[in-house]
Amino acid sequence: MTPEELADLAHLRRARDLIDRDYARPLDVPEMARRALMSPSHFARRFRAAYGESPYSYLMTRRIERAQELLRRGGLSVTEVCLAVGATSLGSFSSRFTEIVGMSPSAYRALDHAGWKALPPKTAMVISRPSRLSRIREAADVAP
């Protein structure tokens, strides 16, 4: 890697850290790009090249990941979880959750999550990390 690419990667990590930390508040690509000291279009291209998905897709994946954790814990309605992770539309949240996880938030919440309580939080996070790519591969396997 060139020194410029290494510097870009360090800046991209700052933006990714912003997303990981502040996923529940309104974030847009221009704000993320400012954190990375890049123009929005350059940032979006470099982020996708470095992390394999767009900045917005990464943000939504983090939100869904956190939503899964809240739904496993119980005690909150789907609407409360939606708002807690920074989504502003229950319909969009539910659609994205279903797209990424493969079931609706209500169906996910209704599952028996007792086994998760025995796992260390970091292990549970890694195991349950949602992935669009796995859903795309599954769809390709069953497509005619």
Side-chain angles (χ1 to χ4, degrees), residues 8 11-12 14 32-39 42-43:
D8 274 359
H11 294 306
L12 289 170
R14 272 193 231 139
M32 295 176 215
R34 279 192 296 279
R35 184 62 57 104
L37 305 175
M38 298 176 187
S39 72
H42 181 68
F43 167 73

Side-chain angles (χ1 to χ4, degrees), residues 16-17 33 46-47 50 58-59 64 67-69 75-76 92 100 105 112-113 117 131 133 135:
R16 189 187 65 189
D17 290 345
R46 296 293 296 142
F47 192 97
Y58 184 86
L59 170 63
I64 298 303
Q68 284 181 284
E69 180 183 344
L76 295 176
S92 296
I100 293 173
D112 180 11
H113 297 288
K117 291 179 173 63
S131 170
L133 295 177
R135 300 292 306 145

Side-chain angles (χ1 to χ4, degrees), residues 21-68:
R21 184 181 55 253
D22 294 340
Y23 65 89
R25 72 177 183 84
L27 291 172
D28 59 15
V29 172
E31 182 177 355
M32 295 176 215
R34 279 192 296 279
R35 184 62 57 104
L37 305 175
M38 298 176 187
S39 72
S41 57
H42 181 68
F43 167 73
R45 284 190 305 274
R46 296 293 296 142
F47 192 97
R48 182 182 291 277
Y51 300 113
E53 60 185 324
S54 72
Y56 182 75
S57 177
Y58 184 86
L59 170 63
M60 291 308 297
T61 302
R62 292 289 73 69
R63 286 178 173 169
I64 298 303
E65 180 180 88
R66 298 325 192 265
Q68 284 181 284

Side-chain angles (χ1 to χ4, degrees), residues 71-72 74-78 103-113:
L71 291 168
R72 279 194 305 271
L76 295 176
S77 70
V78 172
M103 65 182 72
S104 71
S106 297
Y108 186 83
R109 186 182 62 185
L111 294 175
D112 180 11
H113 297 288

